[in-house]
Amino acid sequence: DTGVSQNPRHKITKRGQNVTFRCDPISEHNRLYWYRQTLGQGPEFLTYFQNEAQLEKSRLLSDRFSAERPKGSFSTLEIQRTEQGDSAMYLCASSLVGVGQETQYFGPGTRLLVL
Amino acid sequence: GDSVTQMEGPVTLSEEAFLTINCTYTATGYPSLFWYVQYPGEGLQLLLKATKADDKGSNKGFEATYRKETTSFHLEKGSVQVSDSAVYFCALTPNTGNQFYFGTGTSLTVIP
């Protein structure tokens, strides 16, 4: 069973550095989502792709954040010039668009700590 | 806008006790409703879902019924186990299905 995988699982960086996270969705899923989760809160939507097209971005996604899904398979989320406020768990989810509402399947997350 | 409000925790119960975690929602149209569970150190896992009014989702002894008249989707289990200790998230996706809106989560601890 190959679910959603994310790498790395943990990342510690210094303020001002750039970081990049990778998400590999379930293979036949055409939608991929990024969320951010801070301690004691539920996940907050950041952006999503359908195939390689980025269709929606939250206002939470500042200019320092960029996400790509170049071949419609894996995706990367890059944060430039990290700030302490970026410390959070970054979650990836994937789904298969079809008839009715689709279920999103989540990866284990990448926990980022900015010092 | 669309949102989910769920009962604040933490909740501590003895094994075999009855569990209810309240969840209410605000949405236009007819959203789908979900409960996700997050065990310590793991990612979110789908627990159950319901896609239309009066539907009942169920899994692993947990149940929740989509009540449009009260805009609620309360999670229940008749007899909790220690292994049910986790954080539970109520969520909705609007009928466009583009993103999920999550509640803040309810932490459950079950003691032997």
Side-chain angles (χ1 to χ4, degrees):
Chain A
D1 176 21
T2 53
V4 179
S5 62
Q6 293 186 245
N7 287 290
R9 293 290 307 274
H10 304 274
K11 179 71 177 179
I12 300 174
T13 191
K14 293 182 180 179
R15 189 176 52 184
Q17 298 296 304
N18 298 345
V19 294
T20 300
F21 310 140
R22 175 177 170 130
C23 171
D24 288 88
I26 294 172
S27 59
E28 65 269 24
H29 284 185
N30 51 9
R31 280 197 177 177
L32 187 149
Y33 303 78
W34 285 100
Y35 291 83
R36 181 172 67 188
Q37 184 180 17
T38 53
L39 198 61
Q41 300 297 316
E44 296 174 295
F45 170 77
L46 293 178
T47 188
Y48 89 94
F49 294 82
Q50 180 153 328
N51 300 314
E52 64 276 10
Q54 188 173 17
L55 296 187
E56 189 171 342
K57 292 194 290 186
S58 163
R59 55 182 161 74
L60 293 176
L61 210 66
S62 77
D63 291 345
R64 297 184 297 105
F65 288 69
S66 61
E68 295 182 343
R69 195 184 183 198
K71 298 181 181 178
S73 56
F74 73 92
S75 175
T76 58
L77 177 68
E78 181 183 18
I79 309 174
Q80 295 182 325
R81 305 180 303 282
T82 53
E83 302 173 356
Q84 288 183 325
D86 297 331
S87 296
M89 176 77 86
Y90 290 85
L91 298 171
C92 176
S94 70
S95 69
L96 180 64
V97 175
V99 177
Q101 312 288 346
E102 76 273 20
T103 298
Q104 295 185 18
Y105 295 88
F106 283 80
T110 295
R111 185 172 295 282
L112 172 66
L113 177 61
V114 182
L115 301 177
Chain B
D2 296 349
S3 66
V4 172
T5 302
Q6 66 180 99
M7 164 182 163
E8 291 188 13
V11 175
T12 302
L13 295 174
S14 297
E15 205 165 21
E16 299 183 1
F18 184 84
L19 169 71
T20 300
I21 301 178
N22 291 338
C23 172
T24 57
Y25 68 89
T26 301
T28 54
Y30 301 92
S32 287
L33 302 174
F34 301 79
W35 278 99
Y36 279 82
V37 58
Q38 189 170 34
Y39 298 101
E42 298 185 14
L44 279 81
Q45 300 176 23
L46 176 67
L47 182 58
L48 54 85
K49 68 176 182 180
T51 59
K52 61 182 187 296
D54 300 325
D55 266 4
K56 177 185 283 188
S58 61
N59 185 26
K60 299 181 181 180
F62 290 89
E63 293 183 340
T65 301
Y66 189 142
R67 301 285 190 200
K68 188 163 178 64
E69 63 277 13
T70 54
T71 62
S72 66
F73 193 55
H74 303 322
L75 182 68
E76 296 182 337
K77 187 175 186 182
S79 176
V80 294
Q81 305 300 312
V82 172
S83 57
D84 294 327
S85 299
V87 181
Y88 293 81
F89 292 93
C90 185
L92 73 81
T93 185
N95 53 10
T96 55
N98 288 341
Q99 61 170 286
F100 272 35
Y101 296 89
F102 284 87
T104 54
T106 302
S107 175
L108 170 67
T109 301
V110 180
I111 55 178

